[in-house]
Amino acid sequence: MKDLAGDKVPPRKGTSRKGSPRKGATAGAGSANVVSKLAGVDQPRTEEHSAALASFEALDRLSHALMGRAEGGLSPISLSLAWADWATHLALSPGKQAELGWKAGRKWMHLLRAMAPHSSDDVEAQPLEPLPQDRRFSAPDWQQFPYSLYAQSFLHAQQWWHNATTDVRGVEARHEQMMQFYARQWLDMVAPTNFIATNPRVIERTLKEGGVNLLRGARYWGEDAVKALTGDTKPEPTLIPGTDVALTPGKVVLRNDLIELLQYEPRTEKVHSVPLLIVPAWIMKYYILDLEETNSLIRWLVGQGFTVFAISWKNPDEGDRDLGFDDYREKGVMTALDAVCAITGAEKVHGLGYCLGGTLLSVAAAAMARDGDERLASLTMLAAQVDFTEAGELSLFTNEDQLSLIEDMMWEEGYLDKTAMAGTFTMLKSKDLIWSQAVHTYLMGERETDSALASWSHDATRMPYRMHSQYLRRLFLDNDLAEGRMDTRGVPVFLQDIETPVFAVATEADHIAPWHSVFKLTWSLPGAVNFALVSGGHNTGIVRPPGAPRAHYRLMEHRPGMPHPSAVDWASECAPRDGSWWEPWAKWLRKTGDGSEIAPPPMGKGRKYRALCDAPGAYVLTR
């Protein structure tokens, strides 16, 4: 017998002596062989053949990379598929169409009654309230006609589109979430706050200044347009680490090709015997925890008598394309841990991981537990996830299509530029980061000066090809860590091996690591877990010091053997406490340590860990 290419097809495997198929044999094995031969899989490749295939692949990668850069790192294919799924099922759902028409009529009637004279006397005609986090219509002018009509029309449309993009039978959950997300993006774009004629604050400013604000705004728009056309759109920090921010005194006591280890000078005569090692995310500069004197967690910890070390990641370049997750664990976390123990002489160390730094620290802790390494006294996880099944709206941009696009964007240069994913993170908060800023700049005619936090957010880092691809696929896409498929150098690691006490912090308004996702640490880890839900966002909630106005937190102490409450039930039953989470956390650190105090350790030790330069070091300044 011959296949389509004229080659003989080998006898089908999996047959008995009489020639009948063996039980469980694959009926399509012969077809698979035909396909393999047609594809040239089992033919030896010549150098010319391999070069041709490589050139074809390179052409695809180049095409995808160009598309990715043009689209701000976002794939239009994912949106197209989501829209097709939603639109098709909606078109085939006459009941849902009738429901939407009925709700549209009800909303029109409610809007007319709300705008009618003496509507305040009509209980059923009370105006809609914006979502709690939406402050666009908070000014009193929005309660006056005709601006109240504009605001209420928008809020009614917002409700209707939410109904239109949800509960359409047959639509995949992921596609439904994407349609909700993009519907909000379009609504935010056409909100009445974005236009001169429908924004009372802009009209008032224009009348007051005689239109000069619009002239300034036009000039600012022209400057930004020129930057966009020339490709000069990279936001740069306005505050320099070591000069304006990151001012806590310290020394660089270790430097390798991936990290600088910072040791901070003591401010107390005695210090706690257990030092603290901070592991920040590699996609951010560490000094989010050392911004200004008033909100520096590092400075506060040193003042509380803790010996603090912090990792400062190198900003990778094209030569670092092959650095992977294991390199960051070994050259980063484990190398730093060795140094901390050697310098201080401590047998135990508190570990703190922020965001993805916490995820990396959890993998290191699991590997240490597997190997019998007991040097971690505790783990503190700040806005850090180990289970990514509910990773919030960021997970909408994590699928095979999107990740392949990102990998192709990284392929040529060997890293992902810090602006390549700017479109994704900006869209997550487009209301605040795009349209509100556009109104303030181009209509009100005011350029905002960067705060310390805003300047830090512009000081992003690049990500090496291999590392970025590994963590996106293994964590966000495949959820290998939570599902027991994670390994270090080929040897499996399991979260259930971690018996170290854990203090986990989540923030109420986090759009990167939603608190419901962080809450899973309470049942993903077998040991004692203290969980704090604090006010603020992914960064603002973490760097909220004692004495900060309107700061509050909820605290849960979960011990092995106790029942596990659901996140919603616990939050509804646990009353918030006023104040910063820093203080109960510091008490917990003292309790999980041995409680003793010692003289401060030296700043560095010996030739291997000698003080190389002052903090914040050189890596944090690399652009």
Side-chain angles (χ1 to χ4, degrees):
M1 181 178 176
K2 294 184 178 181
D3 67 8
L4 298 179
D7 295 324
K8 290 183 179 180
V9 179
R12 180 176 299 179
K13 298 180 180 180
T15 58
S16 66
R17 293 180 180 179
K18 294 182 180 180
S20 60
R22 186 174 63 236
K23 184 178 180 180
T26 304
S31 300
N33 289 331
V34 172
V35 173
S36 296
K37 278 196 171 289
L38 288 174
V41 173
D42 57 349
Q43 298 176 4
R45 291 185 180 180
T46 64
E47 292 185 6
E48 182 180 358
H49 186 194
S50 299
L53 292 178
S55 64
F56 296 149
E57 181 183 7
L59 179 60
D60 287 343
R61 287 184 178 275
L62 176 60
S63 174
H64 298 162
L66 292 174
M67 180 181 69
R69 293 189 179 96
E71 298 291 337
L74 302 175
S75 172
I77 299 175
S78 295
L79 173 59
S80 300
L81 293 174
W83 181 86
D85 187 11
W86 168 78
T88 302
H89 283 91
L90 181 60
L92 298 174
S93 303
K96 181 66 175 181
Q97 296 174 33
E99 176 193 339
L100 293 176
W102 174 68
K103 287 188 174 181
R106 285 174 55 87
K107 292 186 184 303
W108 273 110
M109 291 301 299
H110 181 270
L111 179 63
L112 292 175
R113 293 177 67 176
M115 292 297 104
H118 309 294
S119 60
S120 59
D121 299 330
D122 189 348
V123 177
E124 297 183 359
Q126 296 305 306
L128 297 180
E129 293 292 332
L131 297 173
Q133 66 272 21
D134 189 350
R135 298 183 296 274
R136 286 174 293 186
F137 306 109
S138 58
D141 292 338
W142 287 104
Q143 312 308 318
Q144 307 298 321
F145 189 84
Y147 307 111
S148 58
L149 174 61
Y150 306 149
Q152 286 297 303
S153 298
F154 174 82
L155 294 175
H156 278 80
Q158 191 178 54
Q159 278 193 354
W160 186 88
W161 273 104
H162 176 76
N163 293 328
T165 54
T166 56
D167 297 327
V168 180
R169 287 183 62 82
V171 179
E172 289 188 16
R174 180 186 184 83
H175 290 164
E176 180 179 277
Q177 294 167 5
M178 290 186 69
M179 290 307 301
Q180 292 180 60
F181 178 81
Y182 281 103
R184 289 202 308 273
Q185 306 305 308
W186 284 101
L187 285 168
D188 288 341
M189 184 175 65
V190 300
T193 50
N194 299 340
F195 303 94
I196 299 174
T198 55
N199 189 324
R201 294 182 64 244
V202 174
I203 293 175
E204 180 184 9
R205 174 65 64 88
T206 303
L207 293 175
K208 182 178 180 180
E209 295 193 23
V212 176
N213 58 304
L214 299 179
L215 293 177
R216 287 197 308 270
R219 177 164 59 86
Y220 296 150
W221 180 88
E223 293 172 355
D224 293 342
V226 170
K227 290 181 179 180
L229 291 173
T230 58
D232 184 21
T233 58
K234 296 181 180 180
E236 295 293 342
T238 55
L239 304 179
I240 307 303
T243 302
D244 308 299
V245 290
L247 298 177
T248 302
K251 301 290 184 182
V252 174
V253 294
L254 168 69
R255 179 186 294 129
N256 60 25
D257 58 356
L258 188 58
I259 69 166
E260 286 183 333
L261 181 63
L262 312 179
Q263 180 184 358
Y264 290 93
E265 295 179 359
R267 295 174 57 193
T268 55
E269 293 184 0
K270 296 286 186 178
V271 297
H272 302 289
S273 60
V274 181
L276 173 72
L277 172 63
I278 296 176
V279 183
W282 58 90
I283 63 173
M284 55 192 267
K285 297 290 181 70
Y286 85 92
Y287 67 90
I288 177 64
L289 299 178
D290 188 25
L291 283 174
E292 300 174 291
E293 184 174 351
T294 55
N295 63 355
S296 170
L297 178 61
I298 291 175
R299 179 182 289 269
W300 184 84
L301 283 168
V302 173
Q304 295 294 309
F306 289 96
T307 300
V308 181
F309 294 79
I311 290 176
S312 176
W313 299 105
K314 176 189 175 184
N315 198 359
D317 54 32
E318 60 274 7
D320 301 312
R321 66 177 299 128
D322 292 326
L323 288 174
F325 201 91
D326 277 325
D327 295 307
Y328 274 72
R329 180 185 64 87
E330 294 172 358
K331 295 182 179 180
V333 178
M334 301 310 297
T335 297
L337 183 61
D338 291 341
V340 172
C341 291
I343 292 171
T344 63
E347 296 181 356
K348 298 276 189 176
V349 176
H350 295 301
L352 181 154
Y354 188 8
C355 189
L356 287 172
T359 310
L360 176 63
L361 182 60
S362 70
V363 175
M368 292 173 67
R370 176 199 65 198
D371 300 335
D373 189 338
E374 300 180 349
R375 287 181 292 172
L376 285 176
S378 72
L379 289 176
T380 299
M381 306 280 279
L382 305 183
Q385 304 172 88
V386 295
D387 187 319
F388 291 82
T389 52
E390 295 180 292
E393 291 181 334
L394 191 60
S395 62
L396 298 179
F397 304 97
T398 309
N399 52 38
E400 185 61 42
D401 170 52
Q402 183 68 48
L403 295 193
S404 295
L405 181 69
I406 293 174
E407 287 173 345
D408 290 342
M409 292 173 64
M410 294 188 292
W411 178 255
E412 184 176 2
E413 292 182 327
Y415 58 82
L416 188 68
D417 187 76
K418 63 183 181 180
T419 60
M421 291 289 287
T424 301
F425 288 101
T426 300
M427 286 183 68
L428 293 177
K429 297 187 68 177
S430 63
K431 179 175 80 276
D432 301 319
L433 300 181
I434 298 178
W435 305 114
S436 294
Q437 287 190 12
V439 169
H440 193 80
T441 304
Y442 305 140
L443 300 185
M444 303 295 283
E446 298 178 0
R447 283 280 197 197
E448 290 187 353
T449 55
D450 274 353
S451 63
L453 185 59
S455 178
W456 167 85
S457 68
H458 295 159
D459 198 9
T461 61
R462 297 178 289 271
M463 288 156 280
Y465 172 84
R466 187 181 179 193
M467 173 57 161
H468 199 52
S469 177
Q470 283 180 338
Y471 97 81
L472 284 178
R473 288 191 175 278
R474 303 209 64 180
L475 298 177
F476 275 91
L477 187 62
D478 297 332
N479 203 30
D480 284 349
L481 179 58
E483 297 181 11
R485 294 186 299 270
M486 198 72 180
D487 64 81
T488 60
R489 300 296 181 193
V491 183
V493 296
F494 299 97
L495 292 172
Q496 289 70 24
D497 292 338
I498 302 175
E499 297 182 355
T500 306
V502 174
F503 195 104
V505 181
T507 61
E508 295 174 342
D510 199 329
H511 62 284
I512 295 175
W515 79 265
H516 292 83
S517 184
V518 179
F519 185 84
K520 293 180 180 181
L521 283 163
T522 62
W523 51 262
S524 296
L525 302 176
V529 179
N530 283 28
F531 179 81
L533 177 60
V534 307
S535 56
H538 185 72
N539 297 314
T540 57
I542 297 299
V543 296
R544 185 163 289 182
R550 300 184 300 278
H552 62 262
Y553 64 92
R554 293 175 172 86
L555 187 62
M556 179 179 75
E557 298 181 3
H558 188 272
R559 298 294 176 264
M562 295 174 59
H564 294 84
S566 72
V568 175
D569 290 344
W570 168 76
S572 62
E573 296 172 0
C574 183
R577 312 177 190 181
D578 292 334
S580 170
W581 64 271
W582 292 12
E583 293 174 317
W585 172 58
K587 292 179 181 178
W588 178 85
L589 283 179
R590 297 186 186 99
K591 184 178 179 181
T592 54
D594 61 14
S596 63
E597 294 187 341
I598 60 174
M603 296 296 293
K605 185 175 183 180
R607 182 173 179 80
K608 186 175 182 179
Y609 301 117
R610 68 185 185 281
L612 300 175
C613 63
D614 290 335
Y619 281 177
V620 76
L621 299 175
T622 305
R623 298 284 180 255

